[in-house]
Amino acid sequence: SDYDKLLKIFAVTLFLSSCFEESPNMTFKTVDGDINYNLEVAIKDEDQARGLMGRESLKENGGMLFPIAPVQPITMWMKDTKISLDLIFIGMDNRVVKIIEKAEPMSVQFLSSEYPVKAVVEVNAGDVAKHKIKVGQYIKSSALEEFEADYKAKRKAVEEQPKAGTEVESKVETEDKAETKVEPQPQTEAPVETENEAPVEAEDKADTNSDKK
């Protein structure tokens, strides 16, 4: 009957919609338990530069993930961004290293990570306080893991490409390389405390290569 056909169509529609339902791609490990987010991922330079410019709103527990490679200190800003945001900076050990709450819409003030970071997350202003997200907490992100795996694979492929005129290194060159040591460069250590840091003031200098938006 027509009624049975309608029921079947409805059932199929529900099934298909469940197949395409968005699933969380980042989890914050807070004192109140896991807080799941479904974040848009900005990987290309133009996507990171655009960020959330022009958006009128964000979904609940939505936002944008900015993977950073290689790990480095970066600066952000709110140019042409209409909505206030909380910025969460993720360090190389998957811990939150800095938080800036309620960043001012449309501001061109530079917002520095201060520490080397592997990612920045932008979420609705007030989410950090609501979910008790704090410096020192761990995150887990399938989207970030996929990005890192892809980045490592591409980097390995580049490193394995033979260089012109250097197919066979001389014994002297090999020995010289073996004896060469590279001293590690000092860098600021990320904090381990669990207190949120207040929003930073405008930086006197900015890393123009890593500014977004």
Side-chain angles (χ1 to χ4, degrees):
S1 66
D2 291 341
Y3 179 73
D4 291 335
K5 290 180 180 179
L6 288 173
L7 283 179
K8 290 180 180 179
I9 293 173
F10 181 69
V12 170
T13 302
L14 284 178
F15 173 75
L16 291 175
S17 63
S18 66
C19 290
F20 292 99
E21 183 179 356
E22 294 180 340
S23 57
N25 57 8
M26 175 163 284
T27 301
F28 290 90
K29 304 288 186 178
T30 75
V31 293
D32 290 340
D34 291 353
I35 304 298
N36 295 316
Y37 274 82
N38 190 304
L39 304 172
E40 300 174 45
V41 185
I43 295 178
K44 296 180 179 179
D45 290 344
E46 56 266 34
D47 293 333
Q48 293 203 354
R50 186 184 312 110
L52 294 172
M53 288 179 177
R55 300 290 183 92
E56 300 289 344
S57 63
L58 284 178
K59 293 181 180 179
E60 183 177 359
N61 284 22
M64 183 167 284
L65 170 67
F66 299 82
I68 308 298
V71 174
Q72 59 186 296
I74 66 162
T75 55
M76 310 286 282
W77 65 356
M78 295 288 288
K79 184 177 184 294
D80 295 332
T81 304
K82 298 180 178 181
I83 55 177
S84 181
L85 300 169
D86 288 347
L87 279 67
I88 305 166
F89 298 88
I90 310 299
M92 57 195 308
D93 61 350
N94 287 339
R95 284 180 180 268
V96 177
V97 296
K98 184 173 181 179
I99 293 172
I100 298 176
E101 297 186 57
K102 298 180 180 179
E104 181 183 353
M106 311 298 287
S107 172
V108 293
Q109 171 185 333
F110 292 119
L111 307 173
S112 172
S113 68
E114 295 187 43
Y115 311 103
V117 296
K118 70 193 301 184
V120 183
V121 180
E122 292 184 342
V123 297
N124 282 306
D127 273 15
V128 164
K130 179 173 68 175
H131 296 310
K132 299 180 182 177
I133 298 172
K134 297 181 180 295
V135 169
Q137 291 174 346
Y138 281 105
I139 65 97
K140 183 173 177 58
S141 173
S142 58
L144 193 53
E145 289 171 0
E146 290 174 8
F147 170 81
E148 290 178 317
D150 184 61
Y151 174 76
K152 290 177 181 178
K154 289 179 179 178
R155 184 173 179 178
K156 183 179 180 181
V158 170
E159 291 174 347
E160 290 178 349
Q161 290 179 353
K163 297 179 181 179
T166 59
E167 292 181 1
V168 180
E169 292 186 332
S170 69
K171 182 178 179 181
V172 174
E173 290 174 330
T174 303
E175 291 175 350
D176 288 343
K177 286 185 177 182
E179 294 175 357
T180 302
K181 295 182 180 180
V182 179
E183 294 297 328
Q185 297 298 314
Q187 62 183 17
T188 308
E189 293 185 358
V192 296
E193 64 271 11
T194 58
E195 293 298 324
N196 293 1
E197 294 186 23
V200 298
E201 299 297 326
E203 299 288 336
D204 292 332
K205 60 182 180 177
D207 185 347
T208 56
N209 293 327
S210 55
D211 288 348
K212 75 95 183 167
K213 302 184 184 175

